[in-house]
Amino acid sequence: MSVPKLRIVCGNPKCRSPLLVQNPHKLKEAKCPACGFLNPIPEEEAPTQIQNRLPTELGWLIIKDEQTATQTFVLMMGANTIGRQSNLSPSTHMIITNDEFMSRPHCTLTVRIGILGTIEYLLQDGAARDDGRWKFSTNGTYLNGQEQRLSEFDCLYLSDGDIIQIGVTKLVLKTLQLSQSIQKAYRQVEDMDYGRTVIGFKTP
């Protein structure tokens, strides 16, 4: 029987060392050996009693991009995979696009209930394959126009209005807490300026 492990990145902004945590289900915190920062261990599953009270739609991803037509995707509890439309390698949310730098699927946005009972949104590059192995995207996943792509260890907490770039296409996260409805979320994104686009990729 394999020992449960969790990959995280140290939350100390001056450190950011990758950590491999053994038996994370037995811990509340993981001490970084490089800097000593105590990293909280996230909850893996939402409490059933809270989850049963939630609406079906827990947030939205809305394309806000100069090149791609606006499309809206409803986020559900659990792992939401996002990528280029494909019948052979389908994602939970498939983008109709000519973006040749976007993988199929490209990234995973997990929605869950945190330890305080609030809805959490976590972003990772890549997605789980049918055989259970994780496959990373060819060109990486970027957040809020930052040049540094998400590493294989990154699992980032997102906030309302964060801009995710996959390929050269950008999507805005709108959360249930701040937008309440898909109509309001769409209007809020329409009023936003276009985010910075990271460029310089290779064709998958």
Side-chain angles (χ1 to χ4, degrees), residues 9-192:
V9 174
C10 179
N12 182 351
K14 295 182 179 180
C15 177
R16 301 293 290 167
S17 296
L19 308 178
L20 183 62
V21 184
Q22 304 279 355
N23 294 312
H25 62 287
K26 296 182 179 180
L27 302 173
K28 292 185 177 180
E29 296 175 319
K31 185 176 182 179
C32 175
C35 70
F37 185 85
L38 293 177
N39 294 275
I41 302 297
E43 294 248 310
E44 292 188 357
E45 296 185 5
T48 303
Q49 65 274 22
I50 297 176
Q51 186 171 339
N52 289 341
R53 295 199 301 267
L54 292 173
T56 304
E57 298 186 10
L58 298 177
W60 304 272
L61 281 177
I62 302 175
I63 290 180
K64 175 73 172 181
D65 187 79
E66 300 90 334
Q67 305 298 324
T68 304
T70 300
Q71 298 166 54
T72 302
F73 305 97
V74 176
L75 296 173
M76 307 294 187
M77 183 66 69
N80 297 260
T81 56
I82 305 105
R84 186 154 48 98
Q85 188 178 40
S86 170
N87 292 327
L88 296 177
S89 301
S91 303
T92 311
H93 306 298
M94 295 191 286
I95 299 172
I96 301 172
T97 179
N98 293 322
D99 187 350
E100 61 182 349
F101 304 112
M102 187 188 301
S103 297
R104 313 168 290 185
H106 194 108
C107 67
T108 301
L109 201 163
T110 301
V111 182
R112 69 183 188 191
I113 303 300
I115 193 169
L116 299 178
T118 56
I119 303 173
E120 297 177 340
Y121 305 83
L122 295 94
L123 177 67
Q124 294 173 275
D125 180 64
R129 305 195 314 183
D130 290 339
D131 60 8
R133 291 186 294 174
W134 197 268
K135 183 180 180 182
F136 297 99
S137 69
T138 300
N139 288 301
T141 300
Y142 298 81
L143 187 62
N144 295 327
Q146 299 176 6
E147 289 284 347
Q148 185 65 44
R149 63 188 281 175
L150 271 64
S151 76
E152 62 180 290
F153 296 105
D154 282 331
C155 185
L156 304 183
Y157 288 84
L158 301 186
S159 300
D160 187 275
D162 277 343
I163 301 173
I164 303 164
Q165 181 180 329
I166 56 178
V168 292
T169 303
K170 291 163 295 183
L171 305 99
V172 180
L173 169 67
K174 297 305 295 180
T175 63
L176 179 67
Q177 299 96 317
L178 295 185
S179 297
Q180 288 92 45
S181 71
I182 191 170
Q183 293 82 7
K184 185 175 181 180
Y186 183 82
R187 290 195 299 269
Q188 290 170 341
V189 172
E190 272 194 321
D191 292 338
M192 291 176 61

